[in-house]
Amino acid sequence: MTEVAQSAELGGLLRSLGVRRGGVLMVHASLSGTGVAPELVRDELLAALGPGGTLIVPAFTPENSDTSRAHREAVAGLSEAEAAAYRRAMPPFEPDATGCPTMGALAECVRSTRGAVRSAHPQTSFAGLGPRARKLLHRHPLRSHLGRLSPMARLYAADAQILLLRVGFEVCSAFHYAEYLTRPRPSRRTYRCVVGDQGNWVEYRDLALNDSDFGEIGSRLPGRMLAEAEWASRAVVLCGIRDVVDHAKGQMSRYRRALA
């Protein structure tokens, strides 16, 4: 199948799954192995949403933090001096310029599209295209990665849909919002990242986010919450953010507390 034919097939699939025209859609995607350019996928998503719809992608940047899993992996095996030199050379986060390579080709494509809006968090920013993007992403304080003051809370309030395009619930960042809603609240930890033109390091505290059980949480979601199909030999899932966050919150409140 040609690249154009594959992208057209995706467009039909999005409509059959129930992507809402004029709605808000947050997409996690892996295009690896499809042979389809991210620009074509972006355009099919925007076409399915229509001119009144808004496309949102996570544009996370763990590379600019020395408290992230990505940093620990990057400096593993380095000497203390080499690790210090690596830290000094880390580029600061700049919302309008910093890429999001670990989030995949589609996220980087959306982020770098002319007219895209991006939230300002140096670790867990979002990028978006469409008439509601600026309102959804306008405020993103350091101390709320994905909590009540973040764009994720506004996506929840907007009753956004989530599309998992050839990826699993292991990467469903909306489940982090459920962590903020559980009681008792999870423990907190310190985060550090480098920001701004001068490369200043900032330190702040927020929840100790934990995605280790997201795949299991996703496997326990009722089938009625999910619209499922396949594209380019992998699963595609569409769901409502409120449904899956509320269900995840219930799961976390039960078994995470039991394991604590």
Side-chain angles (χ1 to χ4, degrees):
M1 187 181 296
T2 67
E3 180 183 22
V4 173
Q6 269 194 293
S7 63
E9 180 185 57
L10 175 62
L13 185 68
L14 295 171
R15 286 179 276 276
S16 68
L17 284 171
V19 170
R20 291 195 296 266
R21 289 187 67 79
V24 178
L25 180 68
M26 179 170 67
V27 182
H28 293 268
S30 171
L31 304 185
S32 177
T34 65
V36 180
E39 292 79 9
L40 290 176
V41 174
R42 174 202 61 196
D43 291 349
E44 291 294 348
L45 290 164
L46 291 171
L49 286 163
T54 299
L55 173 63
I56 302 292
V57 294
F60 301 168
T61 47
E63 305 84 5
N64 82 318
S65 168
D66 67 354
T67 53
S68 69
R69 183 188 313 160
H71 181 80
R72 291 193 297 272
E73 293 172 352
V75 301
L78 298 183
S79 69
E80 185 175 335
E82 289 170 333
Y86 182 93
R87 185 180 186 274
R88 286 194 300 271
M90 288 167 58
F93 175 77
E94 299 180 59
D96 295 333
T98 301
C100 54
T102 59
M103 301 311 295
L106 177 67
E108 178 60 15
C109 172
V110 172
R111 181 204 69 80
S112 58
T113 296
R114 188 178 185 86
V117 177
R118 189 182 196 179
S119 69
H121 200 286
Q123 289 283 272
T124 51
S125 67
F126 292 83
L129 292 166
R132 300 176 69 181
R134 189 166 300 278
K135 184 175 181 179
L136 289 166
L137 307 183
H138 78 282
R139 184 168 178 263
H140 200 166
L142 273 176
R143 67 184 186 278
S144 187
H145 278 276
L146 299 162
R148 293 181 183 273
L149 301 178
S150 76
M152 191 68 82
R154 291 188 286 277
L155 290 169
Y156 182 92
D159 195 21
Q161 292 178 299
I162 298 170
L163 182 72
L164 300 176
L165 182 60
R166 305 181 77 245
V167 295
F169 278 99
E170 292 83 359
V171 301
C172 183
S173 58
F175 285 168
H176 283 304
Y177 185 53
E179 293 186 280
Y180 287 85
L181 303 179
T182 58
R183 294 293 183 272
R185 293 283 293 275
S187 61
R188 295 166 63 83
R189 56 164 288 199
T190 297
Y191 295 88
R192 286 187 303 273
C193 48
V194 58
V195 299
D197 295 339
Q198 305 303 314
N200 297 318
W201 283 86
V202 294
E203 184 173 289
Y204 57 97
R205 291 183 64 77
D206 196 7
L207 291 195
L209 299 174
N210 175 15
D211 62 5
S212 63
D213 55 0
F214 283 9
E216 180 65 23
I217 290 171
S219 72
R220 296 178 180 182
L221 293 172
R224 60 180 170 76
M225 292 184 178
L226 314 174
E228 302 176 88
E230 185 178 285
W231 180 69
S233 302
R234 290 192 192 175
V236 181
V237 178
L238 181 73
C239 52
I241 189 171
R242 292 180 181 173
D243 286 341
V244 300
V245 165
D246 291 349
H247 201 278
K249 172 190 170 185
Q251 290 191 50
M252 291 175 185
S253 295
R254 290 190 298 274
Y255 77 81
R256 280 193 180 182
R257 184 184 306 174
L259 292 174

